[in-house]
Amino acid sequence: MANNKFMTTVSPHLHEKGQTIDRAMKDVLLALAPAGVWAIIVFGFQAILVMAVSIITAMLSEVVVRKILGRKSSLSDLSAVLTGLFLAFLLPVTTPLWVVAIGAFLAVGVAKELFGGLGKNIFNPALFGRVALMISPLWLYIAKFVKPFWYTANGVNWFTPITTSINNGVAGRVVFKTLAGTTKVNVVTSATPLSLLKSGRMLANTVSGATPVGATWITSSGRPSFWSMALGLKAGSMGEVSVLLLLLGGLYLIYRRTIDWRIPVGVLCGALFIFLITWNHPVYQMLSGGIWLGAFFMATDWVTSPMTKRGKWIYAVGIGVFIGLIRLVSPLPEGVAIAILIWNALTLVLDRYVAEPKFGEIKKPWFNRVPVLPKPKPAAQKA
Amino acid sequence: MSNQGYKTFKGGIHPPYNKELASGKAITPAPIPSELVIPLNQHIGAPNNPLVSPGDRVKVGQKIGETDAFVSAPVHSSVAGTVKAVEDIKNFTGAMVKSVIITADSDQPPFEAKEMKPLADLSADEIKQIAKEAGLTGMGGAAFPTHVKLSPPKDKPVDSVLINACECEPFLTCDHRLMLERPVDLVEGLKLLMRAVDAEKGVIGIEANKMDAVEKVRSAVSAEPSIEVEILDVKYPEGSEKQLIAAVTGRKVPPGKLPSEVGCLVQNVGTAIALYEAASTGKPLYERVLTVTGHAIKNPSNFLVKVGTPISVLIEAAGGLADNATKLIMGGPMTGWAQEEPTANVVKGTSGILALPPDLVDVREEHGCVRCTKCVEACPMYLMPNYIVDAVQKEDWAKAELWGAIDCFECGVCSYTCPAYIPHVSYVRKAKAQIAALKKR
Ligand code: SF4
Ligand code: SF4
């Protein structure tokens, strides 16, 4: 017994079961699954292709960039898979696959790995990838949306691949090529509810017929009804359409304590507040675009959100307010991605300067002040 | 397991407790080894000078180390025997400490009880004196001299004495057994503590996973209107001084301050019983109850052990190690010290010896922090463990202090819950040493 050596590490000697990075990533993947399946149902086989290309490119980018930088492979933490899926969720199903691949590389290769790898990145990688595409010349390719169940139109089916063509470098047009090779041009593109609100136009036809809860999908004003917005029968990026399924996944993550409830609550309340005081179509605004995907899945990203409770509240409400303001005053119809990225950048500032009271602290200051320690003499420091 | 609705503190974790391994085992005396190594420094404070030299005969309970400094506790021989040597020996933390090596006589006479004043007649100062003479220290790990704790500043009167009977460290059961087997001694000890600091209230805080102990202690205090038994949520670190005070009284000790700041005094079960023994028979603290347990110990046990006993003797007495023993820990699994070899010796603060099989040893390579905030949420001192680590990595000691390195009491909650497997405590220790060195200059 006496001659075998035991392992020596610093206390504690126990570790919480299942509390690992890949477990958390798996949780998020699971939480995204319902919305992902819904995307495949409403947007067709092409949705699978976009997700697959995004995930595979994200993983490849991670492997290649880490190899070049001389870092160890980190595929097993699943964060690249997650970023790839997130990016796919943020893109419309009409995005050409090569554009998807570029976005995934920008997300993982640049926003994550060049910033120092998981934990050191300042910006949410998927949002970074999406916004980088948006402000690049490629923006035309990610600006066309199709309406849900577009494949029920004549001459196309669920398997029909989608390609987007650019005419004269201006208008994005969506082309559907059937398997037989015949093409149908621009038959089923659709404006998103938000761009409708922006332009003041009405939606010609999204989905008609009765909803499971009685009312029709489209209101008399031509906009999607409340229920079609909530259930996800609207045009939009692949992952953002079904508010209910996103809420389901988000609640699961809160229950699993993978994300902090304060952030979605803060984002949603902040945005609702602005929509209410400006009376900017509060119900539509809340149910449309990426607010729910952003609040539950993007703003809650561990790495790019603040560490303290106070910081989290400021950050979350800040995002919500920014979404509200961007949608109100800027020409951009969306705003979730930009708002989150801005606050991502402010996260380290919040962490550094907003003080969190320690146990038993009597004065509870709001600002951190670094204590002044005597300077070590250069010679003494070595000793 | 989450909250059970009893009083508790904010933050903390719910590790698997594994108390059932040893909680049913009555306390038995451990075998007395032929040779004991008694470190002269077992407490926090000034080091003791040896009072014996090689060749000297020593009796059970004879003082063998002492110093004039106030913050110190004398050390006593735990056996009758002959001093073999006085030399530097590695203790359980790996530090070299001057120790007295004693060869025990094969025939051990029992401790001769001294003639003492009746307990009821003891004054506060006499109780403090008894505590000092008996070498009493905290027995939960930190080993702070008891008489120092019993002498709070004059302007900070203590109104409540709290007994930490939480035993919130997983696996350990020695306090649980003491409460079951010696509830009356515990209550007598608490009464002495209350008298020593002139407190009107005594509270014994017990975690809700020891209801049998609650019952026993409750019946022992039924005639004591000033003493209460408070059931507390099962949560780690419920028994930490500041957290226990917050849970029981709602008062929060400010950073850098002592419990007397909010009128409280905390002692653990072992210390209270040891004080009672010292006051009633003059017996100094030379033996203690500890738990030898873990899934890699064949026959988990609670032993009454002489200070200075090598842990290999205790492991043997508990049936030996299973073949798959991977980690050997002195103390509890959250704050104890991993031992490379079973060569260390029991000191006053040793609450347990733990042998873990591989499936309970989850050690992985440290990943960079992924900012999940789990550590921040769980830290019972509301610190920023990940930023302390970050500051230490950058050798920015001022920042390390800003994020709370000084206030950290190394409970290990942060590392327990960290998905990146960061060993925060080792960083914190580095920061503490550096900050202390800078401030001294
Ligand atoms: S920082 Fe210190 S006090 Fe806080 S959880 Fe970690 S070890 Fe415990
Ligand atoms: S628990 Fe670990 S990974 Fe999470 S914030 Fe703390 S140090 Fe970072």
Side-chain angles (χ1 to χ4, degrees):
Chain A
M1 168 190 106
N3 46 13
N4 59 332
K5 302 225 165 166
F6 301 104
M7 189 192 282
T8 49
T9 53
V10 179
S11 61
H13 305 290
L14 297 178
H15 191 270
E16 188 171 348
K17 216 168 174 201
Q19 187 63 267
T20 58
I21 297 173
D22 60 299
R23 199 274 309 163
M25 299 288 172
K26 274 184 209 144
D27 257 6
V28 181
L29 286 172
L30 189 62
L32 285 172
V37 170
W38 181 250
I40 295 168
I41 294 173
V42 299
F43 293 127
F45 180 69
Q46 183 77 12
I48 298 180
L49 288 181
V50 173
M51 291 184 207
V53 167
S54 186
I55 291 173
I56 291 168
T57 319
M59 293 169 72
L60 282 177
S61 310
E62 181 168 290
V63 169
V64 171
V65 176
R66 283 187 84 92
K67 191 133 236 166
I68 294 171
L69 296 177
R71 298 195 190 122
K72 273 209 306 199
S73 164
S74 61
L75 274 186
S76 60
D77 68 22
L78 296 181
S79 76
V81 177
L82 187 55
T83 301
L85 187 61
F86 269 143
L87 180 72
F89 270 37
L90 292 169
L91 294 172
V93 69
T94 56
T95 315
L97 297 178
W98 59 275
V99 177
V100 174
I102 292 176
F105 172 77
L106 290 172
V108 173
V110 177
K112 196 174 84 174
E113 291 303 335
L114 285 190
F115 274 86
L118 179 68
K120 301 233 165 50
N121 50 305
I122 304 213
F123 297 106
N124 181 315
L127 286 176
F128 181 96
R130 151 89 204 220
V131 169
L133 289 178
M134 214 166 80
I135 59 177
S136 77
L138 298 176
W139 72 272
L140 284 169
Y141 289 104
I142 60 169
K144 275 290 158 187
F145 298 89
V146 290
K147 67 182 185 186
F149 297 113
W150 59 272
Y151 53 80
T152 51
N154 271 344
V156 287
N157 61 39
W158 190 77
F159 284 103
T160 311
I162 306 176
T163 54
T164 303
S165 68
I166 308 292
N167 279 353
N168 304 328
V170 233
R173 303 221 284 156
V174 178
V175 179
F176 301 99
K177 277 200 173 69
T178 60
L179 288 178
T182 51
T183 57
K184 293 220 158 207
V185 179
N186 220 8
V187 278
V188 278
T189 56
S190 164
T192 67
L194 277 178
S195 60
L196 286 176
L197 286 175
K198 266 286 174 218
S199 62
R201 281 184 299 125
M202 294 297 138
L203 187 61
N205 55 340
T206 24
V207 180
S208 33
T211 71
V213 281
T216 55
W217 291 111
I218 302 170
T219 62
S220 52
S221 64
R223 293 186 186 126
S225 72
F226 172 85
W227 280 108
S228 63
M229 305 258 305
L231 291 175
L233 287 164
K234 62 185 188 235
S237 298
M238 280 168 44
E240 68 184 28
V241 287
S242 175
V243 169
L244 282 184
L245 294 178
L246 289 170
L247 180 64
L248 190 74
L251 291 178
Y252 168 75
L253 289 183
I254 291 174
Y255 164 76
R256 296 278 291 168
R257 294 170 149 269
T258 303
I259 63 171
D260 192 324
W261 61 271
R262 291 176 186 85
I263 292 180
V265 169
V267 172
L268 295 173
C269 291
L272 181 64
F273 175 72
I274 297 293
F275 296 146
L276 283 177
I277 59 168
T278 58
W279 201 246
N280 181 9
H281 306 278
V283 175
Y284 271 172
Q285 289 284 10
M286 283 308 287
L287 288 178
S288 58
I291 287 196
W292 295 75
L293 184 62
F296 282 100
F297 293 93
M298 301 286 163
T300 53
D301 174 30
W302 283 354
V303 179
T304 54
S305 57
M307 296 294 298
T308 61
K309 287 195 189 95
R310 283 178 176 177
K312 280 178 186 167
W313 279 121
I314 298 171
Y315 163 91
V317 174
I319 291 175
V321 167
F322 272 42
I323 294 172
L325 294 179
I326 291 172
R327 285 192 182 174
L328 188 69
V329 298
S330 84
L332 300 167
E334 248 290 6
V336 175
I338 306 270
I340 295 178
L341 286 179
I342 292 172
W343 282 92
N344 280 170
L346 293 173
T347 286
L348 292 181
V349 180
L350 290 176
D351 273 6
R352 167 66 184 74
Y353 291 102
V354 179
E356 188 81 358
K358 292 179 188 149
F359 178 95
E361 212 159 25
I362 297 166
K363 287 178 279 177
K364 295 189 168 33
W366 271 86
F367 291 100
N368 273 324
R369 224 176 265 208
V370 182
V372 184
L373 290 172
K375 281 254 168 349
K377 297 175 198 98
Q381 204 180 17
K382 290 251 159 61
Chain B
M1 186 188 327
S2 63
N3 293 355
Q4 302 102 48
Y6 298 107
K7 284 187 177 177
T8 189
F9 65 99
K10 220 169 94 193
I13 48 169
H14 298 284
Y17 286 92
N18 292 305
K19 302 261 191 193
E20 64 290 343
L21 290 178
S23 59
K25 308 284 183 67
I27 300 169
T28 52
I32 298 173
S34 54
E35 195 172 290
L36 295 91
V37 179
I38 305 180
L40 283 171
N41 234 14
Q42 305 182 13
H43 55 267
I44 294 175
N48 286 322
N49 302 315
L51 301 177
V52 291
S53 30
D56 287 0
R57 293 281 304 155
V58 288
K59 284 194 287 192
V60 186
Q62 180 182 334
K63 202 186 279 173
I64 55 173
E66 193 177 35
T67 168
D68 291 337
F70 179 64
V71 184
S72 71
V75 171
H76 303 79
S77 174
S78 50
V79 289
T82 313
V83 177
K84 183 175 161 204
V86 180
E87 58 184 42
D88 284 351
I89 304 256
K90 231 201 244 165
N91 77 352
F92 65 100
T93 66
M96 298 302 283
V97 180
K98 185 152 278 179
S99 308
V100 177
I101 304 172
I102 297 173
T103 315
D105 296 346
S106 53
D107 196 24
Q108 288 291 335
F111 175 75
E112 294 164 30
K114 293 198 187 93
E115 218 26 69
M116 301 298 279
K117 253 180 148 179
L119 293 187
D121 296 348
L122 290 171
S123 72
D125 282 336
E126 282 167 334
I127 296 172
K128 287 178 210 170
Q129 194 53 37
I130 288 172
K132 167 145 205 203
E133 270 308 300
L136 294 194
T137 66
M139 289 164 75
F144 196 74
T146 302
H147 68 275
V148 181
K149 265 193 173 182
L150 292 179
S151 316
K154 285 267 168 319
D155 56 330
K156 308 253 193 290
V158 168
D159 57 41
S160 312
V161 175
L162 274 47
I163 294 292
N164 166 18
C166 300
E167 199 158 52
C168 56
E169 275 262 13
F171 288 94
L172 303 185
T173 56
C174 50
D175 287 356
H176 187 183
R177 288 312 307 180
L178 279 172
M179 284 188 280
L180 289 180
E181 296 177 31
R182 303 176 62 180
V184 179
D185 296 1
L186 169 64
V187 174
E188 289 301 320
L190 172 55
K191 278 158 64 186
L192 290 170
L193 289 168
M194 288 163 64
R195 185 131 29 98
V197 292
D198 193 24
E200 59 258 31
K201 201 171 156 197
V203 182
I204 302 174
I206 307 177
E207 277 189 350
N209 57 359
K210 294 181 264 293
M211 283 312 202
D212 48 349
V214 170
E215 227 165 83
K216 276 266 183 342
V217 177
R218 274 220 170 121
S219 64
V221 297
S222 53
E224 310 283 349
S226 56
I227 299 181
E228 268 171 37
V229 174
E230 184 77 63
I231 306 172
L232 300 168
D233 262 6
V234 183
K235 186 157 79 167
Y236 179 86
E238 192 83 76
S240 145
E241 204 162 71
K242 291 184 176 184
Q243 277 58 42
L244 181 68
I245 294 171
V248 171
T249 67
R251 304 174 198 170
K252 284 187 176 168
V253 183
K257 294 290 196 301
L258 296 171
S260 57
E261 191 74 18
V262 295
C264 289
L265 169 77
V266 180
Q267 291 288 359
N268 38 28
V269 172
T271 310
I273 294 179
L275 177 63
Y276 164 73
E277 286 182 342
S280 56
T281 66
K283 180 182 161 196
L285 178 54
Y286 62 77
E287 60 184 4
R288 65 157 298 148
V289 178
L290 58 77
T291 311
V292 183
T293 183
H295 296 90
I297 290 276
K298 289 198 181 125
N299 183 17
S301 314
N302 297 294
F303 288 132
L304 179 64
V305 180
K306 307 275 184 204
V307 169
T309 304
I311 60 176
S312 54
V313 170
L314 301 174
I315 294 168
E316 218 54 78
L321 290 175
D323 290 338
N324 63 354
T326 312
K327 229 181 197 183
L328 184 64
I329 298 157
M330 201 147 156
M334 295 302 294
T335 59
W337 294 76
Q339 306 291 311
E340 198 170 15
E341 289 168 309
T343 50
N345 304 286
V346 169
V347 292
K348 293 173 190 174
T350 309
S351 45
I353 293 160
L354 203 61
L356 298 180
D359 57 310
L360 282 174
V361 180
D362 186 4
V363 176
R364 297 187 199 187
E365 202 189 332
E366 176 179 350
H367 189 283
C369 168
V370 292
R371 302 171 48 87
C372 68
T373 73
K374 304 252 175 236
C375 55
V376 177
E377 276 161 39
C379 174
M381 298 303 289
Y382 319 163
L383 310 177
M384 304 285 282
N386 68 320
Y387 278 143
I388 299 176
V389 171
D390 184 60
V392 172
Q393 283 167 346
K394 295 182 177 135
E395 306 204 349
D396 185 344
W397 310 115
K399 283 270 179 60
E401 182 170 358
L402 167 69
W403 302 126
I406 300 293
D407 301 305
C408 167
F409 64 103
E410 303 176 15
C411 64
V413 159
C414 43
S415 310
Y416 174 81
T417 183
C418 175
Y421 285 75
I422 296 173
H424 303 76
V425 173
S426 73
Y427 288 97
V428 165
R429 288 190 185 140
K430 237 179 256 167
K432 280 182 177 169
Q434 288 288 345
I435 294 168
L438 284 175
K439 284 193 169 163
K440 224 182 245 163
R441 206 167 285 129

